[in-house]
Amino acid sequence: MTHLTLQAITRRFGAVHAIDNVDLSVPDGKLVCFLGPSGCGKTTLLRMIAGLETPSSGSIHFAGRDITRLPANRRDFGMVFQSLALFPHMTVAQNVAYPLKLRKVAKEKQTRRVAELLELIQLPHMANRPVTQLSGGQRQRVAIARAIASEPQLLLLDEPLSALDAKLREAMQVEIRLLQQRLGITTIMVTHDQREAMTMADEIVVMEKGRIAQVGKPLDIYRDPVSEFVADFIGLGNILPVQYDGAGGVSLPGGRRIEVAQNPRAPRAPLTGAGQPVQAGDAIRLLIRPEDICVKAATDAASPNRLPGTVTFIRDVGASLEATIDCSGFTLTAATTPRETPGLALGMPVLAELPPHACKLIAARAAH
Ligand code: ATP
């Protein structure tokens, strides 16, 4: 069941179209991330769902009801913001109990619910501690417990982890995801961190300049981005300007031809992600992810998709290894491991193999 639907939502601030004609369905019980660069409209969209901002046009429905103009305090959604906004003069338990108190829940029930929630966030022993005496991660958990105290049907999180250091942030990503799955609560989270979105989301909504660039499961978007913008924003990728030759091949910068697999969605000619059949001579982009490039010894047999190059940089972090390869006219980044490519060294001539099935053709970014 789809719980939340946005129809043709637009929000203008003067001449700025912060959100431009957005349609979206958020499935029940899922965690959806709004992902995109700064200023793309993520927060504005979340605030409209929360009721803290009113759309200029369009409608928002929740559980079958039009809530477009319903005030925030009557939506009963749980919210956690970047600042967390915990009450500093209160204890952990008082913070968590606050929404229950507002709703005039009976005292005994409040106590029971707070105990349950503190158990859930694994801080039962800290009930009486002032929130100012907690670590960043503990404060984070208290903010979440407070947001879900009154059992909201929708949880809205706006960059809730951005104040935490990298290690704690990764731990909290897993913690929030597990909690969300356990409770089955429909959750929308704003982030500009693609790794965070990939780790946590059932679905990612990639946003670009007030519009939705792509919606999908994290790996589907990673493997099949619809545009250069999405390909560039999600994960590391080699994106090369190429020309399609009309016969299953592309010419790379410098003129060398390689073969690309037929896109399964287009039986006759590869499709760009935008859904347009590619014509011979079209300027498009070739996307190949670093982990799909095989680095071979320069003495291996030549083939059309094995490109001669020279290793110009190596980032070796122990478990994995990233090599930059200069192929005269363009560079490629290949991800490998010390075991797969023993003896790889700077200045070494190699062959970079681009398997045809891993070469994706995508629409070039629109000129500005
Ligand atoms: P960030 O990741 O930096 O928080 P964002 O993707 O959340 O960015 P928004 O904060 O939603 O982006 O802003 C979208 C656009 O709308 C921006 O151009 C911003 O300057 C503009 N904007 C947002 N709120 C207002 C406002 N109250 N008045 C005028 N312009 C606004």
Side-chain angles (χ1 to χ4, degrees), residues 149-223:
S150 55
E151 299 180 30
Q153 294 188 70
L154 187 64
L155 180 61
L156 304 174
L157 309 172
D158 189 359
E159 304 250 13
L161 306 178
S162 57
L164 305 179
D165 66 52
K167 218 165 173 173
L168 183 55
R169 190 175 173 141
E170 293 208 348
M172 287 301 299
Q173 288 166 0
V174 175
E175 211 169 285
I176 294 177
R177 176 58 166 155
L178 291 176
L179 187 65
Q180 182 271 333
Q181 283 177 324
R182 195 152 14 121
L183 299 174
I185 183 169
T186 311
T187 302
I188 303 178
M189 185 173 101
V190 163
T191 179
H192 60 264
D193 178 342
Q194 58 96 17
R195 254 180 78 89
E196 185 161 291
M198 298 280 292
T199 306
M200 296 179 72
D202 290 298
E203 274 200 2
I204 298 180
V205 177
V206 186
M207 297 182 60
E208 180 186 14
K209 295 185 195 147
R211 293 179 173 222
I212 293 180
Q214 188 168 0
V215 180
K217 293 193 174 75
L219 278 181
D220 289 349
I221 295 184
Y222 180 78
R223 293 199 180 118

Side-chain angles (χ1 to χ4, degrees), residues 53-291:
E53 197 79 70
T54 312
S56 306
S57 59
S59 63
I60 304 176
H61 285 78
F62 183 71
R65 179 168 166 230
D66 188 339
I67 59 160
T68 316
R69 310 215 168 256
L70 194 70
N73 59 2
R74 294 186 44 210
R75 294 191 186 195
D76 287 336
F77 296 163
M79 284 179 241
V80 179
F81 297 101
Q82 192 174 336
S83 62
L84 302 188
L86 291 173
F87 303 116
H89 56 285
M90 291 185 188
T91 64
V92 167
Q94 286 164 341
N95 263 281
V96 175
Y98 187 78
L100 303 173
K101 214 167 147 186
L102 272 190
R103 282 176 177 76
K104 302 195 170 34
V105 171
K107 199 89 189 137
E108 279 162 35
K109 204 167 165 203
Q110 277 187 34
T111 312
R112 217 171 334 130
R113 179 82 181 129
V114 169
E116 249 172 51
L117 286 160
L118 293 187
E119 203 66 54
L120 190 70
I121 60 166
Q122 295 164 25
L123 293 178
H125 51 295
M126 296 205 178
N128 298 319
R129 191 180 281 200
V131 284
T132 46
Q133 291 175 19
L134 299 181
S135 71
Q138 291 165 341
R139 269 202 288 269
Q140 188 61 50
R141 289 189 220 160
V142 174
I144 289 172
R146 189 180 63 176
I148 59 177
S150 55
E151 299 180 30
Q153 294 188 70
L154 187 64
L155 180 61
L156 304 174
L157 309 172
D158 189 359
E159 304 250 13
L161 306 178
S162 57
L164 305 179
D165 66 52
K167 218 165 173 173
L168 183 55
R169 190 175 173 141
E170 293 208 348
M172 287 301 299
Q173 288 166 0
V174 175
E175 211 169 285
I176 294 177
R177 176 58 166 155
L178 291 176
L179 187 65
Q180 182 271 333
Q181 283 177 324
R182 195 152 14 121
L183 299 174
I185 183 169
T186 311
T187 302
I188 303 178
M189 185 173 101
V190 163
T191 179
H192 60 264
D193 178 342
Q194 58 96 17
R195 254 180 78 89
E196 185 161 291
M198 298 280 292
T199 306
M200 296 179 72
D202 290 298
E203 274 200 2
I204 298 180
V205 177
V206 186
M207 297 182 60
E208 180 186 14
K209 295 185 195 147
R211 293 179 173 222
I212 293 180
Q214 188 168 0
V215 180
K217 293 193 174 75
L219 278 181
D220 289 349
I221 295 184
Y222 180 78
R223 293 199 180 118
D224 213 359
V226 296
S227 66
E228 185 178 359
F229 170 81
V230 178
D232 199 18
F233 202 77
I234 304 274
L236 286 176
N238 297 283
I239 301 176
L240 303 174
V242 294
Q243 287 215 321
Y244 184 55
D245 67 5
V250 293
S251 50
L252 300 170
R256 194 183 161 113
R257 180 184 185 278
I258 61 166
E259 283 171 13
V260 293
Q262 303 266 313
N263 188 310
R265 284 182 304 181
R268 283 183 304 280
L271 275 185
T272 62
Q276 299 299 316
V278 180
Q279 309 291 331
D282 274 357
I284 43 173
R285 300 285 182 260
L286 180 138
L287 165 71
I288 183 154
R289 299 290 184 188
E291 66 274 20

Side-chain angles (χ1 to χ4, degrees), residues 13 16 18 37-44 159:
F13 294 108
V16 178
S38 180
C40 70
K42 309 177 292 289
T43 297
T44 304
E159 304 250 13

Side-chain angles (χ1 to χ4, degrees), residues 6-10 19-24 45 207 210-212:
L6 312 185
Q7 282 168 322
I9 288 289
T10 292
I19 293 295
D20 190 7
N21 201 21
V22 162
D23 292 315
L24 182 70
L45 196 58
M207 297 182 60
R211 293 179 173 222
I212 293 180

